[in-house]
Amino acid sequence: MSDARLREEICRYGRSLFERGLTPGSSGNISLRLDDGGWLVTPTNASLGFLDPARLSRLDAAGALVSGDKPTKEIPLHSALYETRGSARAVVHLHSTHAVALTMLPEIDPRAALPPMTPYYLMRAGQTALVPYYRPGDPAVAGAIRGLAGKYSSVLLANHGPVVAGDSLEAAVFATEELEETAKLYLLLRNLNPRYLSPAQVADLITTFGLDLPVHDEHDHK
Ligand SMILES: [Zn+2]
């Protein structure tokens, strides 16, 4: 895909996410890893709803700004996922309401923030990790994401929002949407004793679709 086309894609998906209320104000950011190891990133203080393709931040492989506006302050979130997940080509970070709400509930398992509720959640977002709260801009959050050793393509930042990697921008966007909708379902059904997918149904999805989910061993706890 040409540079112009990639820039268009970022702006198109950004607008779509913003217009559906998936990230308010100037929150949220998108990055794409390019063939030369450099990146295209949404600028700091830019609303995803009103991005200008020509002003996207173009970084080189070392992370230095080559052209465009100053990049988002949340770059460490993106680089930590790229560093630990070799196949990642795009990262999407939003402040989407239901996913943020989920992070504040006391029962959330940090290695499986959501139960296996729907096949498409597992197929697109995989399993989701939760990392503790860090002040915006604190570089320690990158360490927490690296600590997951690339096992998760979707991560929730406590009291903040989701960060999701994909092997294309479309995959990262769709996975983020699936995570948000599944968090919404969880909140709708919380305390209603819902029937989630059974271990056998999850195993069947893993085998049939070749899903690469982090092993979540019961004996592993605590
Ligand atoms: Zn954020």
Side-chain angles (χ1 to χ4, degrees):
M1 224 183 265
S2 71
D3 181 78
R5 182 78 195 285
L6 293 172
R7 287 170 182 269
E8 249 336 297
E9 289 272 279
I10 290 176
C11 299
R12 201 158 58 89
Y13 280 114
R15 188 164 59 243
S16 162
L17 291 165
F18 178 83
E19 284 177 350
R20 286 176 292 148
L22 290 167
T23 207
S26 65
S27 71
N29 30 76
I30 297 174
S31 69
L32 256 185
R33 184 149 68 171
L34 305 168
D35 291 336
D36 67 0
W39 311 356
L40 277 172
V41 190
T42 52
T44 187
N45 293 324
S47 165
L48 290 191
F50 307 95
L51 293 169
D52 177 348
R55 291 177 62 181
L56 294 178
S57 318
R58 172 74 162 91
L59 308 182
D60 66 16
L65 183 65
V66 177
S67 65
D69 288 352
K70 202 167 162 250
T72 169
K73 290 185 287 295
E74 297 189 300
I75 284 268
L77 305 178
H78 296 248
S79 48
L81 266 185
Y82 288 121
E83 278 168 35
T84 51
R85 290 187 68 87
S87 64
R89 297 291 291 195
V91 172
V92 174
H93 165 57
L94 304 178
H95 296 181
S96 54
T97 308
H98 300 91
V100 178
L102 183 75
T103 71
M104 299 181 223
L105 296 176
E107 74 269 23
I108 299 307
D109 178 348
R111 284 171 304 169
L114 283 162
M117 298 188 77
T118 69
Y120 282 91
Y121 165 66
L122 295 176
M123 288 156 66
R124 298 210 194 277
Q127 209 162 272
T128 305
L130 170 66
V131 301
Y133 171 77
Y134 293 91
R135 174 171 35 79
D138 184 345
V141 71
I145 294 175
R146 279 193 208 94
L148 301 169
K151 283 190 277 187
Y152 295 85
S153 59
S154 61
V155 179
L156 287 169
L157 313 176
N159 307 73
H160 184 168
V163 193
V164 179
D167 54 15
S168 67
L169 179 55
E170 181 184 81
V173 168
F174 288 179
T176 314
E177 293 178 5
E178 203 62 51
L179 172 56
E180 171 64 13
E181 292 305 314
T182 310
K184 186 174 179 178
L185 281 176
Y186 182 86
L187 294 168
L188 283 171
L189 293 167
R190 190 170 180 242
N191 298 329
L192 293 178
N193 197 24
R195 243 189 338 267
Y196 300 137
L197 297 178
S198 68
Q201 288 166 333
V202 173
D204 172 59
L205 289 168
I206 291 174
T207 314
T208 306
F209 298 104
L211 304 185
D212 182 21
L213 300 184
V215 181
H216 194 63
D217 186 348
E218 290 297 314
H219 307 289
D220 219 31
H221 281 271
K222 269 108 207 175

